[in-house]
Amino acid sequence: PEHGGRGAAWRLFDAIEQAAKAGGYRGVRLEIREDNTRLLARYRRDGYRVFATVPDYYSDGAGAIRMVRDFTPAEGNTDFGRDLQLAQ
């Protein structure tokens, strides 16, 4: 909270992505609450795309959106193979 709005979380996330690339991962997958439109827009802006939704994922009944950012140039790659998975 003391660093809120200063980009500390995004710098950490960038470091995770760089480590995944260096480790030979083909992409990063994550899950976010479907009602977190601000975060959804941010991930889309950063090159993530939605590949699945999960209804009633959270204990309060909210659904989840699963997103992926491919590091490989192939579009529409659904063979995630060695993806780093993060939960939000």
Side-chain angles (χ1 to χ4, degrees):
E2 67 188 58
H3 298 289
R6 297 187 199 162
W10 292 111
R11 286 192 302 275
L12 177 61
F13 201 78
D14 287 343
I16 291 168
E17 286 183 342
Q18 292 306 314
K21 287 179 187 178
Y25 290 87
R26 293 185 293 192
V28 173
R29 291 192 286 182
L30 54 84
E31 295 169 349
I32 62 170
R33 288 179 62 96
E34 66 185 355
D35 58 1
N36 193 339
T37 57
R38 184 174 173 205
L39 192 55
L40 177 62
R42 171 66 190 252
Y43 283 128
R44 282 188 168 148
R45 201 168 42 247
D46 287 350
Y48 284 80
R49 63 180 171 80
V50 174
F51 72 90
T53 58
V54 184
D56 301 317
Y57 182 79
Y58 293 94
S59 61
D60 65 356
I65 295 175
R66 291 185 173 162
M67 302 184 82
V68 64
R69 180 174 180 190
D70 296 317
F71 299 147
T72 58
E75 290 293 323
N77 178 17
T78 57
D79 175 21
F80 298 114
R82 192 166 180 232
D83 279 351
L84 182 64
Q85 296 183 44
L86 304 172
Q88 294 285 311

